[in-house]
Amino acid sequence: MNREDARRYGAELAFDEQQIAEENQNATLTMWVGIGSILSLLLTCFLGSLFRTVNVTIPALAAACVLLLASVLIYFLAGKRDERWYLVCSLLNHGGIGFAVLVLLRTLGLELGLLQLVLSGVPAAAILVGVVIFFVSGEGQNRRLFLYGGLGALVLLFGFAALRYLGEAAAFWLCMGVCALLSCAGLGALLWTNAGVFRRSAYKALAVSSFSVYLLALAAAAAALVVMGSGSGSSSKSKSKSKGSGSAKGGGGSGSSFLGELLAPRTRTSNYRVRHTGYYPYWLWYYTPYTRYSAINRMQGVSEAEKDGLRRSYRIRRLIGLGLVVLVVAAVTVLCVLAGR
């Protein structure tokens, strides 16, 4: 190999290494943001459950709308100058999604215990973490298949939760479905970003995907308010006709305002842009195939047979580790579903 070929070969290796590092960076960013979105949703629902005797639906709906307005303004005004503002948009959107789900739970008269609340978010988070570990540990172009597989698993989890909710109408299944939807949006953003890793911003993709879930949650909350409101309004009118004006003072049902009855808690259960890097678990990068094989190839005083043995040993350990990840994710998902229902 002459000097020019060696230089070209080294440049290709450097480009591949940079691309892999950028894709892994996007994957870990998606994982942390996805876990944060689930925690934000669960925390908002938990705080709302502490005020069961207080009408928090109107304040929660107002907070969701205010956060949406603030997020839209930041996205269009500040995001173009510094992509880190897109991460702020994602955080605001996740807080607003939590408020929208709280409105939905209160409107439907659903309540959820603390243990069930925590268990509802664990399966989606576990699948997301497992998918990112598989992606970072993957080799070559097959790495993207892990993202599609994880997206399919989350879609199945969302469909399972939706079917169970239609059968039982429990808050556990509703929260599990929303958490799965949040993780689906994150993986979708990751797929879109890594398709043009040097041209597309992961921060922007995560912000846009969170906007989509945000609008869906607000639409569901508004639809529940309209449906429940129309039913409550017709029933209160029929009661007032049959009982007369005297019953309105004693019962408080038809005499109370429409919103007061509806919202009361129920007893039912590119151009140039500055790129920034975030926190990356370097222990995870150390165990990627590209890094380990490069380290083995650079070993001095080691025969080729010994290098082959080290590569084989690493492949075996990696397969065992990935198998354990599959077992842990599957076991956690099944146990959470059985314990939370």
mmCIF file of all heavy atoms in Angstrom, residues 39-63:
data_model
loop_
_atom_site.group_PDB
_atom_site.id
_atom_site.type_symbol
_atom_site.label_atom_id
_atom_site.label_comp_id
_atom_site.label_asym_id
_atom_site.label_seq_id
_atom_site.Cartn_x
_atom_site.Cartn_y
_atom_site.Cartn_z
ATOM 1 N N LEU A 39 -40.470 10.027 33.215
ATOM 2 C CA LEU A 39 -40.439 10.491 34.604
ATOM 3 C C LEU A 39 -41.256 11.764 34.772
ATOM 4 O O LEU A 39 -41.949 11.937 35.789
ATOM 5 C CB LEU A 39 -38.990 10.731 35.035
ATOM 6 C CG LEU A 39 -38.114 9.492 35.210
ATOM 7 C CD1 LEU A 39 -36.689 9.889 35.567
ATOM 8 C CD2 LEU A 39 -38.690 8.570 36.287
ATOM 9 N N SER A 40 -41.189 12.661 33.806
ATOM 10 C CA SER A 40 -41.972 13.891 33.875
ATOM 11 C C SER A 40 -43.466 13.596 33.866
ATOM 12 O O SER A 40 -44.233 14.184 34.644
ATOM 13 C CB SER A 40 -41.609 14.802 32.700
ATOM 14 O OG SER A 40 -42.395 15.968 32.695
ATOM 15 N N LEU A 41 -43.878 12.673 33.012
ATOM 16 C CA LEU A 41 -45.292 12.293 32.961
ATOM 17 C C LEU A 41 -45.747 11.683 34.284
ATOM 18 O O LEU A 41 -46.791 12.063 34.840
ATOM 19 C CB LEU A 41 -45.502 11.311 31.815
ATOM 20 C CG LEU A 41 -46.860 10.607 31.750
ATOM 21 C CD1 LEU A 41 -47.968 11.613 31.503
ATOM 22 C CD2 LEU A 41 -46.863 9.523 30.689
ATOM 23 N N LEU A 42 -44.972 10.748 34.806
ATOM 24 C CA LEU A 42 -45.359 10.070 36.039
ATOM 25 C C LEU A 42 -45.347 11.031 37.227
ATOM 26 O O LEU A 42 -46.215 10.953 38.106
ATOM 27 C CB LEU A 42 -44.415 8.895 36.300
ATOM 28 C CG LEU A 42 -44.381 7.808 35.215
ATOM 29 C CD1 LEU A 42 -43.448 6.669 35.633
ATOM 30 C CD2 LEU A 42 -45.772 7.266 34.928
ATOM 31 N N LEU A 43 -44.372 11.940 37.261
ATOM 32 C CA LEU A 43 -44.307 12.894 38.362
ATOM 33 C C LEU A 43 -45.505 13.835 38.346
ATOM 34 O O LEU A 43 -46.078 14.145 39.404
ATOM 35 C CB LEU A 43 -43.005 13.690 38.278
ATOM 36 C CG LEU A 43 -42.788 14.742 39.375
ATOM 37 C CD1 LEU A 43 -42.770 14.086 40.750
ATOM 38 C CD2 LEU A 43 -41.497 15.517 39.130
ATOM 39 N N THR A 44 -45.906 14.289 37.164
ATOM 40 C CA THR A 44 -47.068 15.173 37.069
ATOM 41 C C THR A 44 -48.335 14.462 37.525
ATOM 42 O O THR A 44 -49.149 15.029 38.261
ATOM 43 C CB THR A 44 -47.227 15.672 35.625
ATOM 44 O OG1 THR A 44 -46.016 16.289 35.194
ATOM 45 C CG2 THR A 44 -48.358 16.673 35.528
ATOM 46 N N CYS A 45 -48.505 13.223 37.100
ATOM 47 C CA CYS A 45 -49.683 12.457 37.532
ATOM 48 C C CYS A 45 -49.654 12.211 39.035
ATOM 49 O O CYS A 45 -50.692 12.244 39.707
ATOM 50 C CB CYS A 45 -49.750 11.135 36.774
ATOM 51 S SG CYS A 45 -50.032 11.304 35.000
ATOM 52 N N PHE A 46 -48.469 11.966 39.592
ATOM 53 C CA PHE A 46 -48.361 11.747 41.038
ATOM 54 C C PHE A 46 -48.717 13.016 41.819
ATOM 55 O O PHE A 46 -49.457 12.966 42.809
ATOM 56 C CB PHE A 46 -46.951 11.294 41.387
ATOM 57 C CG PHE A 46 -46.681 11.252 42.863
ATOM 58 C CD1 PHE A 46 -47.274 10.290 43.673
ATOM 59 C CD2 PHE A 46 -45.848 12.179 43.456
ATOM 60 C CE1 PHE A 46 -47.040 10.260 45.040
ATOM 61 C CE2 PHE A 46 -45.594 12.156 44.810
ATOM 62 C CZ PHE A 46 -46.198 11.197 45.605
ATOM 63 N N LEU A 47 -48.196 14.157 41.369
ATOM 64 C CA LEU A 47 -48.523 15.409 42.052
ATOM 65 C C LEU A 47 -50.011 15.714 41.947
ATOM 66 O O LEU A 47 -50.620 16.235 42.897
ATOM 67 C CB LEU A 47 -47.705 16.557 41.458
ATOM 68 C CG LEU A 47 -46.192 16.490 41.691
ATOM 69 C CD1 LEU A 47 -45.490 17.648 41.005
ATOM 70 C CD2 LEU A 47 -45.880 16.486 43.191
ATOM 71 N N GLY A 48 -50.613 15.389 40.806
ATOM 72 C CA GLY A 48 -52.053 15.590 40.672
ATOM 73 C C GLY A 48 -52.868 14.697 41.588
ATOM 74 O O GLY A 48 -53.927 15.091 42.079
ATOM 75 N N SER A 49 -52.350 13.494 41.848
ATOM 76 C CA SER A 49 -53.067 12.580 42.744
ATOM 77 C C SER A 49 -53.052 13.047 44.191
ATOM 78 O O SER A 49 -53.870 12.592 45.002
ATOM 79 C CB SER A 49 -52.465 11.178 42.646
ATOM 80 O OG SER A 49 -51.136 11.169 43.165
ATOM 81 N N LEU A 50 -52.125 13.927 44.549
ATOM 82 C CA LEU A 50 -52.076 14.444 45.916
ATOM 83 C C LEU A 50 -53.195 15.433 46.199
ATOM 84 O O LEU A 50 -53.476 15.728 47.365
ATOM 85 C CB LEU A 50 -50.719 15.127 46.171
ATOM 86 C CG LEU A 50 -49.476 14.236 46.052
ATOM 87 C CD1 LEU A 50 -48.218 15.058 46.303
ATOM 88 C CD2 LEU A 50 -49.551 13.064 47.018
ATOM 89 N N PHE A 51 -53.827 15.941 45.150
ATOM 90 C CA PHE A 51 -54.910 16.925 45.308
ATOM 91 C C PHE A 51 -56.213 16.327 44.797
ATOM 92 O O PHE A 51 -56.872 16.879 43.914
ATOM 93 C CB PHE A 51 -54.573 18.209 44.548
ATOM 94 C CG PHE A 51 -53.288 18.846 44.985
ATOM 95 C CD1 PHE A 51 -52.102 18.567 44.315
ATOM 96 C CD2 PHE A 51 -53.261 19.705 46.061
ATOM 97 C CE1 PHE A 51 -50.912 19.157 44.704
ATOM 98 C CE2 PHE A 51 -52.069 20.295 46.459
ATOM 99 C CZ PHE A 51 -50.898 20.016 45.792
ATOM 100 N N ARG A 52 -56.577 15.200 45.354
ATOM 101 C CA ARG A 52 -57.783 14.508 44.893
ATOM 102 C C ARG A 52 -59.058 15.263 45.242
ATOM 103 O O ARG A 52 -60.063 15.138 44.564
ATOM 104 C CB ARG A 52 -57.830 13.107 45.496
ATOM 105 C CG ARG A 52 -56.683 12.216 45.028
ATOM 106 C CD ARG A 52 -56.726 10.860 45.694
ATOM 107 N NE ARG A 52 -55.606 10.025 45.263
ATOM 108 C CZ ARG A 52 -55.343 8.819 45.736
ATOM 109 N NH1 ARG A 52 -56.113 8.307 46.686
ATOM 110 N NH2 ARG A 52 -54.310 8.133 45.283
ATOM 111 N N THR A 53 -59.028 16.023 46.330
ATOM 112 C CA THR A 53 -60.222 16.771 46.738
ATOM 113 C C THR A 53 -60.253 18.172 46.152
ATOM 114 O O THR A 53 -61.158 18.942 46.458
ATOM 115 C CB THR A 53 -60.269 16.864 48.273
ATOM 116 O OG1 THR A 53 -59.085 17.526 48.746
ATOM 117 C CG2 THR A 53 -60.356 15.475 48.884
ATOM 118 N N VAL A 54 -59.259 18.517 45.326
ATOM 119 C CA VAL A 54 -59.174 19.854 44.747
ATOM 120 C C VAL A 54 -59.369 19.740 43.236
ATOM 121 O O VAL A 54 -58.884 18.805 42.603
ATOM 122 C CB VAL A 54 -57.812 20.512 45.062
ATOM 123 C CG1 VAL A 54 -57.738 21.904 44.444
ATOM 124 C CG2 VAL A 54 -57.589 20.573 46.563
ATOM 125 N N ASN A 55 -60.086 20.706 42.687
ATOM 126 C CA ASN A 55 -60.304 20.724 41.251
ATOM 127 C C ASN A 55 -59.050 21.262 40.560
ATOM 128 O O ASN A 55 -58.827 22.476 40.507
ATOM 129 C CB ASN A 55 -61.517 21.598 40.931
ATOM 130 C CG ASN A 55 -61.816 21.626 39.441
ATOM 131 O OD1 ASN A 55 -61.248 20.860 38.673
ATOM 132 N ND2 ASN A 55 -62.705 22.508 39.043
ATOM 133 N N VAL A 56 -58.217 20.368 40.056
ATOM 134 C CA VAL A 56 -56.966 20.772 39.413
ATOM 135 C C VAL A 56 -57.040 20.678 37.898
ATOM 136 O O VAL A 56 -56.038 20.931 37.221
ATOM 137 C CB VAL A 56 -55.800 19.891 39.917
ATOM 138 C CG1 VAL A 56 -55.617 20.057 41.407
ATOM 139 C CG2 VAL A 56 -56.014 18.426 39.543
ATOM 140 N N THR A 57 -58.202 20.343 37.365
ATOM 141 C CA THR A 57 -58.290 20.119 35.927
ATOM 142 C C THR A 57 -58.121 21.410 35.140
ATOM 143 O O THR A 57 -57.362 21.455 34.167
ATOM 144 C CB THR A 57 -59.639 19.470 35.582
ATOM 145 O OG1 THR A 57 -59.826 18.325 36.414
ATOM 146 C CG2 THR A 57 -59.680 19.049 34.128
ATOM 147 N N ILE A 58 -58.817 22.463 35.551
ATOM 148 C CA ILE A 58 -58.693 23.737 34.847
ATOM 149 C C ILE A 58 -57.279 24.301 34.953
ATOM 150 O O ILE A 58 -56.681 24.710 33.946
ATOM 151 C CB ILE A 58 -59.730 24.734 35.374
ATOM 152 C CG1 ILE A 58 -61.148 24.265 34.996
ATOM 153 C CG2 ILE A 58 -59.481 26.124 34.811
ATOM 154 C CD1 ILE A 58 -61.378 24.171 33.506
ATOM 155 N N PRO A 59 -56.652 24.346 36.157
ATOM 156 C CA PRO A 59 -55.252 24.807 36.207
ATOM 157 C C PRO A 59 -54.303 23.945 35.384
ATOM 158 O O PRO A 59 -53.376 24.468 34.751
ATOM 159 C CB PRO A 59 -54.922 24.736 37.703
ATOM 160 C CG PRO A 59 -56.236 24.844 38.393
ATOM 161 C CD PRO A 59 -57.202 24.149 37.509
ATOM 162 N N ALA A 60 -54.501 22.619 35.381
ATOM 163 C CA ALA A 60 -53.629 21.747 34.596
ATOM 164 C C ALA A 60 -53.800 21.996 33.103
ATOM 165 O O ALA A 60 -52.818 22.031 32.347
ATOM 166 C CB ALA A 60 -53.928 20.288 34.919
ATOM 167 N N LEU A 61 -55.039 22.208 32.664
ATOM 168 C CA LEU A 61 -55.276 22.489 31.247
ATOM 169 C C LEU A 61 -54.671 23.830 30.849
ATOM 170 O O LEU A 61 -54.068 23.956 29.777
ATOM 171 C CB LEU A 61 -56.774 22.482 30.968
ATOM 172 C CG LEU A 61 -57.201 22.640 29.506
ATOM 173 C CD1 LEU A 61 -56.627 21.522 28.649
ATOM 174 C CD2 LEU A 61 -58.715 22.685 29.390
ATOM 175 N N ALA A 62 -54.800 24.823 31.727
ATOM 176 C CA ALA A 62 -54.195 26.125 31.448
ATOM 177 C C ALA A 62 -52.670 26.020 31.395
ATOM 178 O O ALA A 62 -52.021 26.623 30.528
ATOM 179 C CB ALA A 62 -54.632 27.132 32.514
ATOM 180 N N ALA A 63 -52.087 25.252 32.323
ATOM 181 C CA ALA A 63 -50.631 25.079 32.324
ATOM 182 C C ALA A 63 -50.160 24.390 31.049
ATOM 183 O O ALA A 63 -49.117 24.748 30.481
ATOM 184 C CB ALA A 63 -50.202 24.275 33.550
#
